[in-house]
Amino acid sequence: MTSRTTEQAEQPPEPAAERPGEELRFRPPSLTALEKHPVTTRAMAGRLPQLVCRSLALAWKVDRTAVVALVVCQALSGFFEAFGLLATTGTITALISSGHITDRLRDALPSIVVLAGAAGLRALLGIAVGNISSRLSPRISREAETQMLDAAINAELAAYDNPGFNDKWDAADRGAEVARDLITESQQLMACLSSLIAAAGVVTVLHPALLPLLLLAALPQGIAGMKAARVQYETSRAISADRRTLGLLRWYMVDKDIADQLRSGTMAEFLLKRYRAIGARVDAATDKAVHRGARYAVLGALAGGVASGLVWASLALLLGAGQMSVASAGTAVFALRTVGASLQGMVGYGTRLFRTGLYLDDWAEFIEEAGGHRMRRGALVPAAPRVIRAEGLTYAYPESDAPALDEVTLEVRRGEVLALVGENGSGKTTLSKLLTGLYLPTKGMVTWDGVGVAELDPQAMWRHTAVVPQDYAHWPLSARDNITLGQPHGGDERVREAAVHSGAHEVVDGLRSGLDTLLARQWWGGVELSGGQWQRIALARAFHRPAGLLVMDEPTSALDARAEHRIFAGLRRMAEDRAVVLVTHRLANVAVADRIVVLERGRVIQQGTFAELTGCPGLFRELWELQNDRGVPGNEHGVPENDRGVPAPREAAP
Ligand SMILES: Nc1ncnc2c1ncn2[C@@H]1O[C@H](COP(=O)(O)OP(=O)(O)OP(=O)(O)O)[C@@H](O)[C@H]1O
């Protein structure tokens, strides 16, 4: 320290806002889609049919009739295109032949009728195709979203602790969003293709040299289009982490639950500054991509212009050399324009479809990834458990250095209250999640009546569990649904019973429509509850479940003394027909437990009754003494004692 110069010492510290905010950074996205499908002509040519099939397959799931109608309409449209073009030759031949103009027009009339009829029918088919794809597009996106949701909700809970999981969800979400473009772009590509086949057939009939020349002319723009598509995709992926951060910041700035802290902490300016800085970074990256894309477009257009000039010059030469009649040349002009437009369309829609395909790969990758975490457990349907046992239980979170739980062995039986105690981060919540089968052990076992939880059907197992987590959900539903979780049994009587046990009846009785009241002020103009009132509802929902295992993690952290007393006084009755696991830091409350397990850094260091643990030296007694060391006048423990030296909650009147 003495080596620091005065100048160094006086330098103001770097302002925190200028440093990159690690907590607001997401992992840089991987460009695996690009690695799998590099943007080259060959890759694109191989990929497009695959993508068209994929879009049709997704559409097939949504509406089979519409897919059949779409394909038939496209085929008919191509057929009428060729028909119309061939009729052009007849029209021109009749018009340029010798004779009176009235005779020539009469001769041309049948071809003109065919031409007009074909154009009219094509227009009608175009409208039909547009209609069908507009109907299909949003449904395809929804189908893609549904598949994502299905993958996510059926993934193991541990998947969410994987740092890449949320990133992939985000990229996949964009994939599902753009999936709606898949059918439109595919059908546009198919329309161009059918028109190209029709016109190319006609051009080849007129002169075989014209078609290869035309294909060559379309190449430069095709390459430019692909390069621009790559730049756009890369940029979009590169800024996706920043876009997520912006979304998060927006949410933090308007979220009702922290709006008061934003104001009282005068955070708005700081967050807005960050928002603007990240927004500027996104804008700069977008500008760069737009400029690069424009450069490619200009180069492509220049090369395409030169190539088109060559095609037209060839046509003039053929005409001049007498290798083609004037009528055929006239038809060739129409056909060439059609081929040119179709090729351009194919390149344009093809590159767009390719880009959509890259996003869709992200979507598919997530489904695959979530599929990798898909719950693959047994199918045994358990009864309400009588004994839940952890044996040599070890659990490590993904990418963490030390296990959160290390060789834990304990059991809890029906009719018992087991309390888990320990300092912050000692592994209590993790252990409760393993006992309920939300996580599967890294090593060791959790068994329900002797059967490993991995062998049990998870849904059937969770029907026997009721959990009051530290952060319980404030479901934007009615009070009744908030208690029954949409799974009523025994009618309102059971709801009322659970509410009385938790003290939520006092909350419900004060609501304007009782159990029917919506508890979602910010969304639907419903009623908002206080923190403690919400906790009473969360407790009622756990008491309402006919569960054999009840886990309560800090269940009374927001309750007033009377409400808290009611919960602990009624806990023994609760435990009569179920096993109860209680996690709490308020050690006076664990006196109701039959056994207390003390955890330290993921290991069990003490076990016993309240009297045993307070009666001998160790972490529990130390924490207990600290909790009572407030200088409050009274007895040694600061609470009334019964004859076991245990603070005794009295049975409360409901
Ligand atoms: N989702 C997670 N991903 C990675 N590590 C986690 C995760 N959740 C918890 N941990 C880590 O696991 C350890 C145990 O956490 P746990 O939440 O089980 O502790 P706890 O005893 O319930 O703490 P508290 O008393 O603060 O609620 C901690 O070191 C924590 O950092």
Side-chain angles (χ1 to χ4, degrees):
M1 288 298 134
T2 45
S3 64
R4 279 181 58 150
T5 63
T6 322
E7 200 186 4
Q8 273 175 322
E10 281 174 2
Q11 266 179 2
E14 195 187 345
E18 302 303 322
R19 290 198 303 269
E22 251 186 56
E23 76 281 10
L24 286 170
R25 280 206 168 169
F26 294 99
R27 282 154 72 99
S30 66
L31 293 171
T32 39
L34 273 181
E35 282 154 24
K36 275 191 216 155
H37 304 288
V39 188
T40 60
T41 320
R42 185 134 39 102
M44 205 167 130
R47 193 81 211 288
L48 289 181
Q50 209 182 324
L51 283 168
V52 172
C53 291
R54 185 183 247 184
S55 84
L56 290 177
L58 265 173
W60 190 254
K61 277 197 174 172
V62 172
D63 189 343
R64 291 172 184 211
T65 325
V67 175
V68 173
L70 204 64
V71 172
V72 169
C73 285
Q74 295 291 11
L76 282 176
S77 182
F79 172 74
F80 289 126
E81 175 97 54
F83 216 62
L85 279 172
L86 287 173
T88 313
T89 317
T91 312
I92 296 174
T93 311
L95 287 178
I96 62 170
S97 62
S98 54
H100 194 269
I101 182 69
T102 328
D103 297 333
R104 280 189 274 159
L105 277 174
R106 195 181 316 117
D107 289 348
L109 196 62
S111 321
I112 292 174
V113 169
V114 170
L115 210 104
L121 283 170
R122 281 193 64 232
L124 281 178
L125 287 168
I127 293 170
V129 164
N131 254 328
I132 298 170
S133 34
S134 302
R135 244 166 29 88
L136 276 176
S137 297
R139 292 173 200 194
I140 287 183
S141 269
R142 206 162 317 120
E143 170 65 25
E145 282 160 9
T146 311
Q147 288 190 22
M148 263 176 80
L149 289 173
D150 178 66
I153 57 182
N154 285 305
E156 286 286 355
L157 182 66
Y160 288 82
D161 298 327
N162 247 302
F165 191 79
N166 291 325
D167 264 349
K168 286 187 176 152
W169 165 270
D170 205 52
D173 204 32
R174 179 142 173 77
E177 192 187 315
V178 299
R180 59 165 52 234
D181 300 332
L182 201 62
I183 194 73
T184 328
E185 287 162 0
S186 293
Q187 77 79 16
Q188 278 161 338
L189 186 74
M190 285 196 294
C192 290
L193 183 69
S194 74
S195 156
L196 175 75
I197 292 172
V202 173
V203 166
T204 315
V205 168
L206 294 174
H207 201 289
L210 286 174
L211 189 64
L213 275 174
L214 210 69
L215 288 174
L216 270 178
L219 206 62
Q221 263 163 317
I223 294 171
M226 280 188 297
K227 288 208 175 296
R230 184 193 166 101
V231 168
Q232 229 171 346
Y233 175 78
E234 274 175 356
T235 309
S236 152
R237 292 292 271 125
I239 60 177
S240 72
D242 275 343
R243 267 206 323 261
R244 271 182 75 189
T245 313
L246 287 178
L248 204 70
L249 280 172
R250 270 200 305 278
W251 177 251
Y252 272 110
M253 280 190 268
V254 298
D255 184 26
K256 176 182 174 295
D257 290 340
I258 52 168
D260 52 346
Q261 293 171 58
L262 183 100
R263 282 157 181 74
S264 64
T266 54
M267 282 278 286
E269 200 43 50
F270 168 72
L271 291 179
L272 261 179
K273 196 171 162 199
R274 239 185 213 188
Y275 188 82
R276 286 199 198 100
I278 298 170
R281 208 157 62 211
V282 168
D283 291 346
T286 313
D287 286 356
K288 213 164 131 192
V290 169
H291 289 145
R292 276 179 71 193
R295 264 204 303 275
Y296 287 129
V298 169
L299 287 175
L302 279 175
V306 172
S308 299
L310 285 174
V311 173
W312 291 112
S314 316
L315 187 65
L317 279 175
L318 288 172
L319 196 62
Q323 299 216 354
M324 200 182 253
S325 71
V326 176
S328 295
T331 308
V333 168
F334 282 108
L336 282 174
R337 286 183 69 92
T338 310
V339 172
S342 311
L343 273 174
Q344 257 184 19
M346 278 190 71
V347 168
Y349 294 126
T351 41
R352 266 195 242 169
L353 183 60
F354 189 83
R355 199 184 60 212
T356 305
L358 292 174
Y359 289 119
L360 219 69
D361 284 338
D362 291 333
W363 168 78
E365 198 191 330
F366 174 81
I367 291 187
E368 214 173 276
E369 158 104 353
H373 293 283
R374 204 177 181 88
M375 280 182 264
R376 294 189 205 288
R377 304 193 187 180
L380 289 177
V381 176
R386 264 168 301 166
V387 187
I388 296 152
R389 192 170 161 74
E391 204 157 335
L393 180 62
T394 299
Y395 186 77
Y397 284 100
E399 297 191 20
S400 65
D401 301 331
L405 289 175
D406 197 2
E407 296 284 337
V408 170
T409 297
L410 52 79
E411 73 172 33
V412 57
R413 292 173 172 271
R414 189 184 296 174
E416 263 185 359
V417 178
L418 173 77
L420 303 178
V421 167
E423 290 175 275
N424 293 136
S426 53
K428 305 179 293 294
T429 302
T430 309
L431 177 55
S432 69
K433 284 185 178 162
L434 278 139
L435 293 176
T436 46
L438 287 168
Y439 288 145
L440 292 177
T442 311
K443 220 176 89 196
M445 279 194 99
V446 172
T447 55
W448 276 29
D449 293 333
V451 183
V453 289
E455 289 164 53
L456 302 176
D457 172 345
Q459 301 298 332
M461 181 182 180
W462 292 328
R463 255 172 237 123
H464 290 298
T465 60
V467 179
V468 187
Q470 278 180 26
D471 298 316
Y472 34 84
H474 296 192
W475 297 110
L477 299 168
S478 68
R480 180 184 293 100
D481 289 341
N482 253 294
I483 293 174
T484 64
L485 296 177
Q487 300 151 68
H489 62 94
D492 277 359
E493 217 173 291
R494 296 299 300 272
V495 176
R496 180 94 196 152
E497 223 171 86
V500 168
H501 274 127
S502 74
H505 67 301
E506 290 169 0
V507 181
V508 173
D509 289 347
L511 295 174
R512 60 168 184 234
S513 310
L515 285 170
D516 290 320
T517 314
L518 271 180
L519 304 183
R521 184 167 190 81
Q522 68 273 43
W523 300 113
W524 290 287
V527 166
E528 186 53 293
L529 303 182
S530 74
Q533 287 172 328
W534 265 118
Q535 195 162 40
R536 291 181 190 209
I537 297 281
L539 282 157
R541 86 175 54 130
F543 295 162
H544 178 265
R545 277 177 92 74
L549 171 62
L550 170 64
V551 172
M552 303 204 290
D553 197 345
E554 289 297 347
T556 56
S557 54
L559 296 190
D560 59 54
R562 195 186 307 278
E564 181 174 33
H565 185 266
R566 183 201 306 270
I567 299 299
F568 285 101
L571 202 59
R572 283 247 61 88
R573 203 149 23 99
M574 265 290 144
E576 274 166 17
D577 54 356
R578 68 194 87 196
V580 178
V581 175
L582 169 69
V583 180
T584 183
H585 290 291
R586 292 201 212 176
L587 300 185
N589 290 334
V590 300
V592 289
D594 296 285
R595 241 161 346 102
I596 301 164
V597 168
V598 185
L599 290 162
E600 190 178 54
R601 284 193 216 102
R603 284 181 160 270
V604 175
I605 54 161
Q606 284 182 289
Q607 278 202 57
T609 63
F610 186 88
E612 283 164 3
L613 293 175
T614 46
C616 68
L619 181 64
F620 187 87
R621 192 160 88 178
E622 189 190 337
L623 294 175
W624 171 243
E625 283 168 0
L626 285 170
Q627 218 163 61
N628 290 296
D629 182 21
R630 303 286 187 275
V632 180
N635 69 4
E636 193 191 340
H637 294 136
V639 287
E641 286 177 2
N642 64 16
D643 55 2
R644 288 190 294 155
V646 172
R650 280 166 293 122
E651 188 80 18

